[in-house]
Amino acid sequence: MAGLVAAWALIPSVVLEQTWQAERAQLRAWAGERTEHWIATQALPAIARMAEDAVKTAGGLGSSGIERWLADRTYASVLWLSIVTYRAYALVMWLLLGIPLLLAAAVDGFYVREIRKNAFISQSPIRHKIGVHFMRIVGIAAVIWLMLPVPMPLIVAPTVLLFKALSIWLWMGNLQKRL
């Protein structure tokens, strides 16, 4: 949390603007002009109004350093929120394709467990724990990817879903027999 606040306080608005432009260009290249237009008309009008208000407020403030810094931080916050919105839309877009993969991994893990329950082999608590920890790590990595204020490729979203499916399979397939 302290790192997030420090990044918010120190990152220049120019870096966030460049990141925002890169995210928009990537989404336009991956999903097409209509999807980018849909995101711009559905989710971003409120963010755009907040950015305009921040710019107007910056012009109306005095010339002290604190007031300029506060106006810049308000604008940076709005840009950062816009970046997170674009990445969340990319994750949702891939989630529509990834839900069948996640469901298939869960069902396959369940049937692997059922088969192992009737066989003379033991379940691996180490593999089960690896699946649980791996799921937690993938979730944290997804949140970090959403919040990172530098340009990142959109291929991270399907990679997160793939690793989430793998961790679900490990977790489900290695549950204990007596549960």
Side-chain angles (χ1 to χ4, degrees), residues 74-132:
T74 304
Y75 181 62
S77 299
V78 170
L79 283 174
W80 205 339
L81 180 64
S82 179
I83 292 167
V84 169
T85 303
Y86 268 99
R87 289 181 182 170
Y89 269 99
L91 189 61
V92 167
M93 184 174 60
W94 279 102
L95 188 63
L96 292 174
L97 297 172
I99 285 175
L101 176 68
L102 294 170
L103 291 174
V107 169
D108 187 52
F110 174 76
Y111 284 122
V112 165
R113 177 179 177 262
E114 290 298 317
I115 290 169
R116 287 183 182 167
K117 278 175 43 176
N118 297 317
F120 291 110
I121 57 173
S122 63
Q123 302 298 88
S124 173
I126 295 172
R127 286 185 191 159
H128 173 73
K129 198 69 164 172
I130 288 171
V132 171

Side-chain angles (χ1 to χ4, degrees), residues 1-22:
M1 187 64 170
L4 187 65
V5 172
W8 173 82
L10 299 175
I11 193 162
S13 296
V14 175
V15 172
L16 290 171
E17 286 175 354
Q18 292 170 349
T19 302
W20 183 65
Q21 291 295 338

Side-chain angles (χ1 to χ4, degrees), residues 133-157:
H133 289 311
F134 198 57
M135 187 178 298
R136 186 176 300 136
I137 289 170
V138 170
I140 291 169
V143 170
I144 289 172
W145 170 68
L146 283 172
M147 299 298 290
L148 206 59
V150 294
M152 296 287 292
L154 288 180
I155 196 73
V156 175

